[in-house]
């Protein structure tokens, strides 16, 4: 280990959290980090038990350099990815086998715990510091040439933390997401097929599947939100979904893992009707694969797609949603939006929103080809109503913290663009009386204004001091101008109303000339809203 690496290692080890500092639990709503919460304390405990005599004396740099050198030697060893014993797998990178990836995971666990439980300035400082130390661990791991599952997980979660700090449309997040995709493909984890039986899996295989699916889902989320080409495609990936196992079974002993796996149905779903983090991830991966096919049409430059092909995409998406286990489907007739349960209602609503965004993209294609916009408006209205309920309910907001921001920004703002267009339409759509109740709200011009006003209220209160809020400011500016325009000019009938350089297309024929997502450029962080004529 050269002098620069040695100094970096010492700084990282001096900052390693102590055991008592970590005694907190991750909230149940953090459905995609549950496996990390299950081993976070264990990794920290084994680290301090093994190296505590050196780590406790933070001023003794000689001992810390010795510990750092030992960790570097471990990191250079290839981490076995074929173990079928969960305990053996965890021991292979903890305790005496401690690696820099493990140190990075400990910092991740600290940051994600803070992100999920508090939001004060001290918490934000801890998150930023842990993110920096996580990056240092990635640097040290790169020096050792490691490129396995833990390294991929480390890079993926680093990008998540940068999204929280800088926003989903920031350059740092895009760069780190691209690095994660590069590591996924370089390590060959974009193809996680196995030749064994579907239910004959192991904890390393399941963790690889979960991370691969998370990266793929995020890639589709970014492509949809920003309207830019995705970095991964199903045509060159074979990322198999994880088994629908709870975390206690995933990280239990070998016998328990196998017995729980054998209780799954032939498609890998649990048969007890419960919703685990793997349940949500499995569905979101299925929908992301369908969206990848939709985005090929939506983002195509040649536009050589027929109505028949678009109809086929719609049929596939409806079939996919209809084939999901019933306990994963949100039923608006039997479940109340004002009583969302974090363990059941929250994942169901996320699944519903993911389904709706696929339908939203497909219905936009139909409108682009001259079809009626009724279904697009229904879907847009439902997306806004559902997402704003995350903000309106205090217990949801308190538990999810920053998650509400990306849920609302990723779904409500896209749908809000369409509702803004409808408000300035001289000949608005009228829903039949028997078909006007959507997600518990009656669709009407008044309801659209109310929902957009709520969205505007959220955007006004969403983290005004953070850099990622420039997106919220741009969206807020557009919605405010639309609402001001229609409320201050109730008898306006012009096909296009120009407001301070923004062209609002009052004629939906104009909408057909847009490429599929370019009227979402007003969401882009680096662009001012006045730069985009016809953005709505």
């Amino acid at each position: 280990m050269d002098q620069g690496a040695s100094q970096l290692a010492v700084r990282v080890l001096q900052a390693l959290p102590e055991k008592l500092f970590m005694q907190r639990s991750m909230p149940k709503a953090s459905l995609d980090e549950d496996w990390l919460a299950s081993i976070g304390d264990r990794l920290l405990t084994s680290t301090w038990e093994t190296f505590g005599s050196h780590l406790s004396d933070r001023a003794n740099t000689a001992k810390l350099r010795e510990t750092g050198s030992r960790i570097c030697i471990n990191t250079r060893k290839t981490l076995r990815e074929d173990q079928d014993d969960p305990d053996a797998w965890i021991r292979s990178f903890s305790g005496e086998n401690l690696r820099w990836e493990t140190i990075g995971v400990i910092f991740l666990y600290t940051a994600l715990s803070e992100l999920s439980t508090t939001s004060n300035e001290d918490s934000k400082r801890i998150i930023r510091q842990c993110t920096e130390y996580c990056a240092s661990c990635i640097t040290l791991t790169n020096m050792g040439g490691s490129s396995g599952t833990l390294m991929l997980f480390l890079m993926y979660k680093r990008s998540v933390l940068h999204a929280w700090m800088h926003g989903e449309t920031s350059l740092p997040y895009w760069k780190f997401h691209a690095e994660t995709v590069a590591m996924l493909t370089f390590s060959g984890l974009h193809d996680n097929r196995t030749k064994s039986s579907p239910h004959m899996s192991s904890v390393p295989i399941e963790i690889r599947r979960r991370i691969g699916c998370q990266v793929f889902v995020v890639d589709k989320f970014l492509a949809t939100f920003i309207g830019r080409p995705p970095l991964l495609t199903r045509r060159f990936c074979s990322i198999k979904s994880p088994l629908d196992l709870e975390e206690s079974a995933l990280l239990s002993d070998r016998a328990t893992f196998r017995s729980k796996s054998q209780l799954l149905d032939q498609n890998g779903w649990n048969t007890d009707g419960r919703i685990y983090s793997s349940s949500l991830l499995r569905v979101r991966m299925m929908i992301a694969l369908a969206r990848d096919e939709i985005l090929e049409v939506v983002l195509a430059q040649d536009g050589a797609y027929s109505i028949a092909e678009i109809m086929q995409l719609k049929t596939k998406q409806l079939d996919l949603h209809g084939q999901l286990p019933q306990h994963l489907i949100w039923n608006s007739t039997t479940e109340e939006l004002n009583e969302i349960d974090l363990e059941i209602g929250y994942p169901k609503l996320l699944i519903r929103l993911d389904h709706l965004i696929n339908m939203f993209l497909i219905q936009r294609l139909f409108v682009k080809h001259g079809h009626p916009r009724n279904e697009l408006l229904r879907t847009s209205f439902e997306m806004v109503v559902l997402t704003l309920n995350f903000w309106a309910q205090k217990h949801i907001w308190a538990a999810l913290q920053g998650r509400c921001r990306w849920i609302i920004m990723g779904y409500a703002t896209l749908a809000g663009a369409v509702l803004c267009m409808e408000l300035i339409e001289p000949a608005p759509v009228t829903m039949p009386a028997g078909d006007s109740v959507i997600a518990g709200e009656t669709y009407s011009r008044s309801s659209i204004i109310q929902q957009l006003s709520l969205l505007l209220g959220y955007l006004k209160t969403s983290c005004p001091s953070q850099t990622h809020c420039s997106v919220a400011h741009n969206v807020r500016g557009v919605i405010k101008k639309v609402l001001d325009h229609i409320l201050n000019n109730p008898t306006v009938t012009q096909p296009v109303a120009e407001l301070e350089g923004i062209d609002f297309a009052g004629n939906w024929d104009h909408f057909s000339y847009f490429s599929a997502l370019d009227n979402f450029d007003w969401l882009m962080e680096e662009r001012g809203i006045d730069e985009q004529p016809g953005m709505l």
Side-chain angles (χ1 to χ4, degrees), residues 298-331:
V298 169
L299 298 174
Q301 296 297 312
D302 54 17
Y305 290 91
S306 65
I307 287 294
E309 290 172 297
I310 300 173
M311 182 61 72
Q312 187 177 25
L313 292 175
K314 178 181 178 180
T315 301
K316 284 184 178 180
Q317 178 59 37
L318 292 175
D319 288 345
L320 185 158
H321 188 260
Q323 293 170 5
L324 294 176
Q326 285 300 309
H327 69 279
L328 297 174
I329 298 178
W330 174 265
N331 189 336

mmCIF file of all heavy atoms in Angstrom, residues 298-331:
data_model
loop_
_atom_site.group_PDB
_atom_site.id
_atom_site.type_symbol
_atom_site.label_atom_id
_atom_site.label_comp_id
_atom_site.label_asym_id
_atom_site.label_seq_id
_atom_site.Cartn_x
_atom_site.Cartn_y
_atom_site.Cartn_z
ATOM 1 N N VAL A 298 -41.097 5.158 -27.306
ATOM 2 C CA VAL A 298 -41.252 6.538 -26.839
ATOM 3 C C VAL A 298 -40.062 7.404 -27.240
ATOM 4 O O VAL A 298 -40.224 8.549 -27.668
ATOM 5 C CB VAL A 298 -41.427 6.553 -25.305
ATOM 6 C CG1 VAL A 298 -41.318 7.961 -24.757
ATOM 7 C CG2 VAL A 298 -42.772 5.952 -24.920
ATOM 8 N N LEU A 299 -38.858 6.862 -27.106
ATOM 9 C CA LEU A 299 -37.650 7.647 -27.356
ATOM 10 C C LEU A 299 -37.069 7.441 -28.747
ATOM 11 O O LEU A 299 -36.011 7.979 -29.059
ATOM 12 C CB LEU A 299 -36.584 7.297 -26.309
ATOM 13 C CG LEU A 299 -36.955 7.598 -24.853
ATOM 14 C CD1 LEU A 299 -35.882 7.070 -23.907
ATOM 15 C CD2 LEU A 299 -37.160 9.084 -24.642
ATOM 16 N N ALA A 300 -37.755 6.657 -29.579
ATOM 17 C CA ALA A 300 -37.237 6.375 -30.921
ATOM 18 C C ALA A 300 -37.142 7.652 -31.747
ATOM 19 O O ALA A 300 -38.037 8.499 -31.718
ATOM 20 C CB ALA A 300 -38.134 5.363 -31.624
ATOM 21 N N GLN A 301 -36.057 7.785 -32.481
ATOM 22 C CA GLN A 301 -35.851 8.968 -33.313
ATOM 23 C C GLN A 301 -36.515 8.838 -34.685
ATOM 24 O O GLN A 301 -36.847 9.839 -35.315
ATOM 25 C CB GLN A 301 -34.345 9.208 -33.497
ATOM 26 C CG GLN A 301 -33.613 9.520 -32.207
ATOM 27 C CD GLN A 301 -34.088 10.801 -31.555
ATOM 28 O OE1 GLN A 301 -34.210 11.828 -32.211
ATOM 29 N NE2 GLN A 301 -34.365 10.745 -30.257
ATOM 30 N N ASP A 302 -36.700 7.602 -35.154
ATOM 31 C CA ASP A 302 -37.274 7.438 -36.492
ATOM 32 C C ASP A 302 -38.797 7.439 -36.492
ATOM 33 O O ASP A 302 -39.431 7.695 -37.513
ATOM 34 C CB ASP A 302 -36.762 6.149 -37.145
ATOM 35 C CG ASP A 302 -36.993 4.913 -36.277
ATOM 36 O OD1 ASP A 302 -37.807 4.988 -35.336
ATOM 37 O OD2 ASP A 302 -36.348 3.883 -36.540
ATOM 38 N N GLY A 303 -39.410 7.145 -35.340
ATOM 39 C CA GLY A 303 -40.866 7.156 -35.251
ATOM 40 C C GLY A 303 -41.553 6.094 -36.079
ATOM 41 O O GLY A 303 -42.739 6.207 -36.398
ATOM 42 N N ALA A 304 -40.825 5.045 -36.440
ATOM 43 C CA ALA A 304 -41.379 4.018 -37.327
ATOM 44 C C ALA A 304 -42.113 2.942 -36.539
ATOM 45 O O ALA A 304 -41.754 1.766 -36.571
ATOM 46 C CB ALA A 304 -40.255 3.402 -38.154
ATOM 47 N N TYR A 305 -43.143 3.347 -35.807
ATOM 48 C CA TYR A 305 -43.939 2.402 -35.034
ATOM 49 C C TYR A 305 -45.413 2.630 -35.345
ATOM 50 O O TYR A 305 -45.888 3.765 -35.385
ATOM 51 C CB TYR A 305 -43.679 2.571 -33.537
ATOM 52 C CG TYR A 305 -42.303 2.101 -33.118
ATOM 53 C CD1 TYR A 305 -41.221 2.974 -33.103
ATOM 54 C CD2 TYR A 305 -42.088 0.772 -32.761
ATOM 55 C CE1 TYR A 305 -39.955 2.541 -32.729
ATOM 56 C CE2 TYR A 305 -40.826 0.328 -32.385
ATOM 57 C CZ TYR A 305 -39.767 1.218 -32.370
ATOM 58 O OH TYR A 305 -38.523 0.778 -32.006
ATOM 59 N N SER A 306 -46.111 1.543 -35.562
ATOM 60 C CA SER A 306 -47.514 1.632 -35.954
ATOM 61 C C SER A 306 -48.426 1.594 -34.738
ATOM 62 O O SER A 306 -48.008 1.245 -33.627
ATOM 63 C CB SER A 306 -47.864 0.468 -36.886
ATOM 64 O OG SER A 306 -47.761 -0.768 -36.179
ATOM 65 N N ILE A 307 -49.692 1.930 -34.965
ATOM 66 C CA ILE A 307 -50.696 1.851 -33.906
ATOM 67 C C ILE A 307 -50.823 0.416 -33.407
ATOM 68 O O ILE A 307 -51.017 0.169 -32.209
ATOM 69 C CB ILE A 307 -52.049 2.365 -34.419
ATOM 70 C CG1 ILE A 307 -52.010 3.886 -34.571
ATOM 71 C CG2 ILE A 307 -53.172 1.974 -33.470
ATOM 72 C CD1 ILE A 307 -51.865 4.634 -33.261
ATOM 73 N N ALA A 308 -50.693 -0.544 -34.299
ATOM 74 C CA ALA A 308 -50.803 -1.952 -33.902
ATOM 75 C C ALA A 308 -49.714 -2.324 -32.903
ATOM 76 O O ALA A 308 -49.962 -3.060 -31.940
ATOM 77 C CB ALA A 308 -50.713 -2.845 -35.140
ATOM 78 N N GLU A 309 -48.508 -1.810 -33.107
ATOM 79 C CA GLU A 309 -47.411 -2.103 -32.186
ATOM 80 C C GLU A 309 -47.643 -1.435 -30.836
ATOM 81 O O GLU A 309 -47.335 -2.008 -29.785
ATOM 82 C CB GLU A 309 -46.089 -1.640 -32.801
ATOM 83 C CG GLU A 309 -45.651 -2.483 -33.987
ATOM 84 C CD GLU A 309 -44.443 -1.895 -34.688
ATOM 85 O OE1 GLU A 309 -44.556 -0.765 -35.219
ATOM 86 O OE2 GLU A 309 -43.387 -2.546 -34.701
ATOM 87 N N ILE A 310 -48.184 -0.221 -30.859
ATOM 88 C CA ILE A 310 -48.494 0.469 -29.599
ATOM 89 C C ILE A 310 -49.608 -0.269 -28.860
ATOM 90 O O ILE A 310 -49.567 -0.422 -27.635
ATOM 91 C CB ILE A 310 -48.892 1.929 -29.876
ATOM 92 C CG1 ILE A 310 -47.743 2.672 -30.567
ATOM 93 C CG2 ILE A 310 -49.265 2.641 -28.574
ATOM 94 C CD1 ILE A 310 -48.099 4.059 -31.039
ATOM 95 N N MET A 311 -50.597 -0.749 -29.598
ATOM 96 C CA MET A 311 -51.678 -1.520 -28.989
ATOM 97 C C MET A 311 -51.138 -2.804 -28.361
ATOM 98 O O MET A 311 -51.601 -3.233 -27.294
ATOM 99 C CB MET A 311 -52.736 -1.853 -30.035
ATOM 100 C CG MET A 311 -53.943 -2.612 -29.486
ATOM 101 S SD MET A 311 -54.845 -1.673 -28.219
ATOM 102 C CE MET A 311 -55.624 -0.429 -29.273
ATOM 103 N N GLN A 312 -50.148 -3.394 -28.994
ATOM 104 C CA GLN A 312 -49.536 -4.605 -28.445
ATOM 105 C C GLN A 312 -48.828 -4.305 -27.120
ATOM 106 O O GLN A 312 -48.892 -5.105 -26.178
ATOM 107 C CB GLN A 312 -48.545 -5.185 -29.453
ATOM 108 C CG GLN A 312 -47.984 -6.541 -29.057
ATOM 109 C CD GLN A 312 -47.055 -7.108 -30.115
ATOM 110 O OE1 GLN A 312 -46.467 -6.375 -30.903
ATOM 111 N NE2 GLN A 312 -46.927 -8.423 -30.144
ATOM 112 N N LEU A 313 -48.182 -3.153 -27.039
ATOM 113 C CA LEU A 313 -47.543 -2.749 -25.786
ATOM 114 C C LEU A 313 -48.581 -2.577 -24.679
ATOM 115 O O LEU A 313 -48.361 -2.985 -23.530
ATOM 116 C CB LEU A 313 -46.771 -1.438 -25.982
ATOM 117 C CG LEU A 313 -45.527 -1.478 -26.864
ATOM 118 C CD1 LEU A 313 -44.968 -0.073 -27.046
ATOM 119 C CD2 LEU A 313 -44.462 -2.400 -26.267
ATOM 120 N N LYS A 314 -49.712 -1.984 -25.028
ATOM 121 C CA LYS A 314 -50.779 -1.791 -24.047
ATOM 122 C C LYS A 314 -51.308 -3.133 -23.552
ATOM 123 O O LYS A 314 -51.505 -3.328 -22.339
ATOM 124 C CB LYS A 314 -51.910 -0.972 -24.672
ATOM 125 C CG LYS A 314 -53.096 -0.755 -23.739
ATOM 126 C CD LYS A 314 -54.195 0.049 -24.415
ATOM 127 C CE LYS A 314 -55.395 0.224 -23.482
ATOM 128 N NZ LYS A 314 -56.484 1.001 -24.133
ATOM 129 N N THR A 315 -51.524 -4.052 -24.469
ATOM 130 C CA THR A 315 -52.031 -5.377 -24.095
ATOM 131 C C THR A 315 -51.054 -6.095 -23.181
ATOM 132 O O THR A 315 -51.452 -6.712 -22.180
ATOM 133 C CB THR A 315 -52.286 -6.216 -25.360
ATOM 134 O OG1 THR A 315 -53.228 -5.540 -26.195
ATOM 135 C CG2 THR A 315 -52.829 -7.586 -24.994
ATOM 136 N N LYS A 316 -49.768 -6.012 -23.494
ATOM 137 C CA LYS A 316 -48.751 -6.657 -22.664
ATOM 138 C C LYS A 316 -48.756 -6.093 -21.246
ATOM 139 O O LYS A 316 -48.664 -6.837 -20.264
ATOM 140 C CB LYS A 316 -47.364 -6.469 -23.289
ATOM 141 C CG LYS A 316 -47.080 -7.346 -24.491
ATOM 142 C CD LYS A 316 -45.644 -7.133 -24.965
ATOM 143 C CE LYS A 316 -45.311 -8.026 -26.144
ATOM 144 N NZ LYS A 316 -43.909 -7.821 -26.605
ATOM 145 N N GLN A 317 -48.858 -4.766 -21.136
ATOM 146 C CA GLN A 317 -48.828 -4.146 -19.815
ATOM 147 C C GLN A 317 -50.064 -4.519 -19.006
ATOM 148 O O GLN A 317 -49.968 -4.813 -17.812
ATOM 149 C CB GLN A 317 -48.715 -2.622 -19.945
ATOM 150 C CG GLN A 317 -48.715 -1.876 -18.623
ATOM 151 C CD GLN A 317 -47.578 -2.296 -17.709
ATOM 152 O OE1 GLN A 317 -46.470 -2.561 -18.164
ATOM 153 N NE2 GLN A 317 -47.845 -2.363 -16.413
ATOM 154 N N LEU A 318 -51.223 -4.510 -19.629
ATOM 155 C CA LEU A 318 -52.449 -4.887 -18.922
ATOM 156 C C LEU A 318 -52.408 -6.355 -18.502
ATOM 157 O O LEU A 318 -52.856 -6.706 -17.402
ATOM 158 C CB LEU A 318 -53.664 -4.610 -19.809
ATOM 159 C CG LEU A 318 -53.977 -3.133 -20.079
ATOM 160 C CD1 LEU A 318 -55.128 -3.006 -21.074
ATOM 161 C CD2 LEU A 318 -54.316 -2.399 -18.784
ATOM 162 N N ASP A 319 -51.877 -7.208 -19.360
ATOM 163 C CA ASP A 319 -51.755 -8.629 -19.017
ATOM 164 C C ASP A 319 -50.794 -8.823 -17.848
ATOM 165 O O ASP A 319 -51.049 -9.624 -16.942
ATOM 166 C CB ASP A 319 -51.273 -9.432 -20.222
ATOM 167 C CG ASP A 319 -52.342 -9.568 -21.295
ATOM 168 O OD1 ASP A 319 -53.521 -9.296 -20.994
ATOM 169 O OD2 ASP A 319 -51.996 -9.937 -22.439
ATOM 170 N N LEU A 320 -49.688 -8.088 -17.886
ATOM 171 C CA LEU A 320 -48.707 -8.188 -16.801
ATOM 172 C C LEU A 320 -49.345 -7.824 -15.465
ATOM 173 O O LEU A 320 -49.204 -8.547 -14.472
ATOM 174 C CB LEU A 320 -47.523 -7.259 -17.102
ATOM 175 C CG LEU A 320 -46.309 -7.268 -16.172
ATOM 176 C CD1 LEU A 320 -45.082 -6.736 -16.916
ATOM 177 C CD2 LEU A 320 -46.516 -6.437 -14.916
ATOM 178 N N HIS A 321 -50.056 -6.709 -15.441
ATOM 179 C CA HIS A 321 -50.685 -6.254 -14.197
ATOM 180 C C HIS A 321 -51.769 -7.228 -13.748
ATOM 181 O O HIS A 321 -51.929 -7.492 -12.550
ATOM 182 C CB HIS A 321 -51.272 -4.858 -14.392
ATOM 183 C CG HIS A 321 -51.774 -4.230 -13.133
ATOM 184 N ND1 HIS A 321 -53.115 -4.206 -12.800
ATOM 185 C CD2 HIS A 321 -51.127 -3.614 -12.112
ATOM 186 C CE1 HIS A 321 -53.267 -3.597 -11.643
ATOM 187 N NE2 HIS A 321 -52.082 -3.225 -11.204
ATOM 188 N N GLY A 322 -52.489 -7.786 -14.701
ATOM 189 C CA GLY A 322 -53.563 -8.705 -14.360
ATOM 190 C C GLY A 322 -53.087 -10.038 -13.827
ATOM 191 O O GLY A 322 -53.835 -10.744 -13.140
ATOM 192 N N GLN A 323 -51.843 -10.399 -14.129
ATOM 193 C CA GLN A 323 -51.304 -11.686 -13.693
ATOM 194 C C GLN A 323 -50.570 -11.615 -12.359
ATOM 195 O O GLN A 323 -50.102 -12.632 -11.853
ATOM 196 C CB GLN A 323 -50.358 -12.228 -14.770
ATOM 197 C CG GLN A 323 -51.064 -12.613 -16.060
ATOM 198 C CD GLN A 323 -50.101 -12.907 -17.195
ATOM 199 O OE1 GLN A 323 -48.881 -12.923 -17.013
ATOM 200 N NE2 GLN A 323 -50.642 -13.127 -18.388
ATOM 201 N N LEU A 324 -50.478 -10.428 -11.769
ATOM 202 C CA LEU A 324 -49.803 -10.295 -10.481
ATOM 203 C C LEU A 324 -50.627 -10.963 -9.383
ATOM 204 O O LEU A 324 -51.858 -11.017 -9.464
ATOM 205 C CB LEU A 324 -49.609 -8.813 -10.132
ATOM 206 C CG LEU A 324 -48.671 -7.998 -11.018
ATOM 207 C CD1 LEU A 324 -48.672 -6.542 -10.575
ATOM 208 C CD2 LEU A 324 -47.264 -8.566 -10.990
ATOM 209 N N PRO A 325 -49.974 -11.475 -8.343
ATOM 210 C CA PRO A 325 -50.720 -12.006 -7.198
ATOM 211 C C PRO A 325 -51.669 -10.948 -6.638
ATOM 212 O O PRO A 325 -51.309 -9.770 -6.529
ATOM 213 C CB PRO A 325 -49.610 -12.349 -6.194
ATOM 214 C CG PRO A 325 -48.402 -12.612 -7.044
ATOM 215 C CD PRO A 325 -48.514 -11.660 -8.195
ATOM 216 N N GLN A 326 -52.868 -11.351 -6.291
ATOM 217 C CA GLN A 326 -53.900 -10.401 -5.889
ATOM 218 C C GLN A 326 -53.516 -9.576 -4.667
ATOM 219 O O GLN A 326 -53.923 -8.420 -4.536
ATOM 220 C CB GLN A 326 -55.210 -11.149 -5.618
ATOM 221 C CG GLN A 326 -55.929 -11.610 -6.878
ATOM 222 C CD GLN A 326 -56.296 -10.445 -7.787
ATOM 223 O OE1 GLN A 326 -56.902 -9.463 -7.355
ATOM 224 N NE2 GLN A 326 -55.915 -10.552 -9.055
ATOM 225 N N HIS A 327 -52.725 -10.135 -3.764
ATOM 226 C CA HIS A 327 -52.390 -9.385 -2.548
ATOM 227 C C HIS A 327 -51.406 -8.245 -2.816
ATOM 228 O O HIS A 327 -51.108 -7.460 -1.914
ATOM 229 C CB HIS A 327 -51.827 -10.327 -1.476
ATOM 230 C CG HIS A 327 -50.472 -10.881 -1.789
ATOM 231 N ND1 HIS A 327 -50.279 -11.964 -2.622
ATOM 232 C CD2 HIS A 327 -49.223 -10.508 -1.382
ATOM 233 C CE1 HIS A 327 -48.989 -12.235 -2.706
ATOM 234 N NE2 HIS A 327 -48.327 -11.369 -1.964
ATOM 235 N N LEU A 328 -50.925 -8.131 -4.067
ATOM 236 C CA LEU A 328 -50.014 -7.045 -4.427
ATOM 237 C C LEU A 328 -50.710 -5.924 -5.190
ATOM 238 O O LEU A 328 -50.087 -4.906 -5.493
ATOM 239 C CB LEU A 328 -48.868 -7.589 -5.285
ATOM 240 C CG LEU A 328 -47.951 -8.620 -4.627
ATOM 241 C CD1 LEU A 328 -46.960 -9.166 -5.644
ATOM 242 C CD2 LEU A 328 -47.217 -8.011 -3.443
ATOM 243 N N ILE A 329 -51.978 -6.097 -5.494
ATOM 244 C CA ILE A 329 -52.698 -5.133 -6.326
ATOM 245 C C ILE A 329 -53.528 -4.196 -5.457
ATOM 246 O O ILE A 329 -54.279 -4.638 -4.586
ATOM 247 C CB ILE A 329 -53.604 -5.858 -7.342
ATOM 248 C CG1 ILE A 329 -52.747 -6.708 -8.291
ATOM 249 C CG2 ILE A 329 -54.447 -4.865 -8.127
ATOM 250 C CD1 ILE A 329 -53.551 -7.499 -9.297
ATOM 251 N N TRP A 330 -53.387 -2.895 -5.705
ATOM 252 C CA TRP A 330 -54.168 -1.891 -4.984
ATOM 253 C C TRP A 330 -55.603 -1.895 -5.499
ATOM 254 O O TRP A 330 -55.849 -1.777 -6.699
ATOM 255 C CB TRP A 330 -53.560 -0.502 -5.178
ATOM 256 C CG TRP A 330 -54.380 0.603 -4.576
ATOM 257 C CD1 TRP A 330 -55.303 1.386 -5.207
ATOM 258 C CD2 TRP A 330 -54.364 1.031 -3.218
ATOM 259 N NE1 TRP A 330 -55.864 2.275 -4.331
ATOM 260 C CE2 TRP A 330 -55.307 2.081 -3.091
ATOM 261 C CE3 TRP A 330 -53.653 0.634 -2.089
ATOM 262 C CZ2 TRP A 330 -55.537 2.734 -1.893
ATOM 263 C CZ3 TRP A 330 -53.885 1.291 -0.891
ATOM 264 C CH2 TRP A 330 -54.819 2.327 -0.802
ATOM 265 N N ASN A 331 -56.549 -2.044 -4.586
ATOM 266 C CA ASN A 331 -57.966 -2.069 -4.941
ATOM 267 C C ASN A 331 -58.625 -0.809 -4.398
ATOM 268 O O ASN A 331 -58.853 -0.683 -3.195
ATOM 269 C CB ASN A 331 -58.640 -3.317 -4.361
ATOM 270 C CG ASN A 331 -60.058 -3.511 -4.880
ATOM 271 O OD1 ASN A 331 -60.715 -2.555 -5.293
ATOM 272 N ND2 ASN A 331 -60.533 -4.747 -4.868
#
